[in-house]
Amino acid sequence: GWFDAVVVRKAVRVNGVDAIALTKLDVLTGLDTLRICTGYRRGSQVVDDVPALAEELDKVKPVYEDHPGWREPLGAYKRLEELPAAARSYVARLQELCGVPIELVSVGADRAVLAHQLQYEGAFGRLESQVRHRRRRLRPLRILRIEQQKIACRLRSGRRQR
């Protein structure tokens, strides 16, 4: 299904994640609209946390926020600022919803593209400086890797989404 920010936010909280590596952003190219699950509806109530019990998951429906897609191929871009405005906006919204910086964004399948991933330079600084800083404190940097490919494959195969 679509990106579920509620589940990612919980994974960040439970695992003490410091940053997110967003992979395969390029596979979303060509989709007119991208959706992000921002909560769950249970009856008339909207909750912004994952239900505690598995059987409760059957009783909730996702609440989506729609974002415009983009048509430009992303493989040639090396910096986040160079991406199409819709892609930058999507990444910024994911970061806001997840509660931690998205430090790495891959935009292609080639090893060269993955080796030179885009680096987000926000209030949290560059990933390299964070890694050096955290090594001094002897605390490992925890990065959550999120693959966008599953979302795009399901949509292009025509599977129905909730």
Side-chain angles (χ1 to χ4, degrees):
W2 293 104
F3 187 94
D4 192 332
V6 179
V7 171
V8 174
R9 193 170 44 244
K10 176 142 187 170
V12 164
R13 200 171 52 242
V14 169
N15 296 299
V17 171
D18 298 307
I20 291 175
L22 187 66
T23 65
K24 301 179 182 172
L25 185 67
D26 56 307
V27 301
L28 299 178
T29 298
L31 297 175
D32 293 327
T33 303
L34 303 174
R35 302 183 96 189
I36 301 171
C37 176
T38 59
Y40 301 114
R41 183 176 307 283
R42 184 184 312 139
S44 62
Q45 181 184 17
V46 175
V47 294
D48 63 353
D49 206 356
V50 178
L53 302 173
E55 52 267 9
E56 289 180 23
L57 283 173
D58 290 337
K59 299 174 186 169
V60 297
K61 299 274 186 207
V63 175
Y64 292 111
E65 187 177 285
D66 290 340
H67 291 269
W70 56 89
R71 299 251 173 240
E72 304 88 344
L74 304 181
Y77 297 110
K78 301 294 182 207
R79 310 258 344 122
L80 185 64
E81 305 83 46
E82 299 169 353
L83 289 175
R88 286 193 318 267
S89 170
Y90 178 73
V91 171
R93 184 63 177 141
L94 293 181
Q95 177 174 268
E96 180 182 333
L97 289 168
C98 295
V100 292
I102 293 178
E103 292 285 354
L104 300 174
V105 180
S106 71
V107 293
D110 292 343
R111 281 185 171 266
V113 174
L114 292 173
H116 302 288
Q117 295 182 26
L118 299 172
Q119 298 193 4
Y120 180 78
E121 292 185 278
F124 295 94
R126 297 179 73 98
L127 179 64
E128 295 91 7
S129 64
Q130 281 195 17
V131 170
R132 281 194 296 273
H133 176 71
R134 291 182 195 287
R135 282 188 186 142
R136 278 185 254 135
R137 292 183 0 208
L138 301 175
R139 179 175 178 263
L141 180 67
R142 294 184 180 159
I143 297 179
L144 178 65
R145 182 172 166 243
I146 300 172
E147 285 192 22
Q148 297 291 303
Q149 182 177 20
K150 293 176 186 169
I151 294 171
C153 289
R154 286 185 185 145
L155 293 174
R156 290 198 175 110
S157 69
R159 285 190 187 174
R160 186 174 168 200
Q161 301 296 313
R162 281 204 246 175

